[in-house]
Amino acid sequence: MKIDYYFYSLIIISVFLFLLFFYWRKNRKIENIVQEYIRKTSTVTKARVLSHFSKEVDEISLLISKILILLNKYNLNNSDISEELPLNSAYHIMSKGNNSLMAVLELSLSGYFWEPPIILRTAMEGFATAWDIVHNPKRFDNWRTNKNFQSTKSITNYKEIDEKIGFLYGLLSQYYTHIGPKNSNQAIYMIGNTPIAQNFGFIPPGKEDIRKTEIYMLILVAYISLQTTEICFHEYANTYETVSKIPGELLMKAKVSERHKIFADKALSHFQQLSNNPLEKL
């Protein structure tokens, strides 16, 4: 009996060690996959998605560049850095927001689904806030004294200029930022009729178009962001992309270039299609 006891104990220990080795090898394999994604696969995915949305990226780059040019021009020509000047606060908020727009572009090109719109919502709220404190003295007083200032109210106020901001902000809030049954699942893509869970930002070849929603949403928000910047810093602009001055008045009216209208129409068409068939983008 003593021999049998040691014999069975040896078997149990051997099985335990084998299972331990098996799980170690499995976890080690996953670690290698993660390392390969960080160092290689992610850059390959980004290159494919960038190539797929080349024209859209050019448009986004142009809008972001125009924001940066205008902000830099203000910074170079403004010597008054007082916190009592609304434009100074607007400059910092919009500079931060413009960096966020670029972050959204990079994450979208890198294949991520849930993360870009969350940052996009914050950026849009920032640009609206900057416009709000420049054009509404009471709001700037609340901002400067930090008394009952709610940045979400700036979205409501800016709807008087461009009502699309309300729709986009609501969409980003409801479906991406606030967690609920509609947005609790992991990102997926379809291979035939089979849903595949997406890990990190990896998108397989041929599926690059599934990030169309994030790219086109960014185009619309980047346009609104540039619009708020041109309105706030209009004195520093040589030309305007999103607004035009009304002759003989201090007022401006919105405008959309023929170039941008092509992308805006594609975006609206895509969102309409998406509302009719939510799985189309997968």
Side-chain angles (χ1 to χ4, degrees), residues 29-86:
K29 184 178 180 181
I30 292 176
E31 290 177 6
N32 291 338
I33 291 174
V34 172
Q35 283 284 346
E36 183 178 6
Y37 171 79
I38 293 171
R39 302 179 185 278
K40 181 180 178 181
T41 313
S42 60
T43 58
V44 174
T45 294
K46 185 175 182 179
R48 284 192 284 101
V49 178
L50 174 59
S51 177
H52 184 77
F53 291 106
S54 179
K55 292 181 180 179
E56 289 79 3
V57 170
D58 286 344
E59 177 66 11
I60 294 168
S61 176
L62 179 63
L63 298 174
I64 290 177
S65 296
K66 286 180 177 290
I67 294 173
L68 184 59
I69 290 170
L70 198 50
L71 292 175
N72 282 346
K73 191 170 182 180
Y74 170 78
N75 188 45
L76 290 172
N77 290 276
N78 175 53
S79 58
D80 184 0
I81 60 173
S82 170
E83 293 182 357
E84 303 296 321
L85 191 63

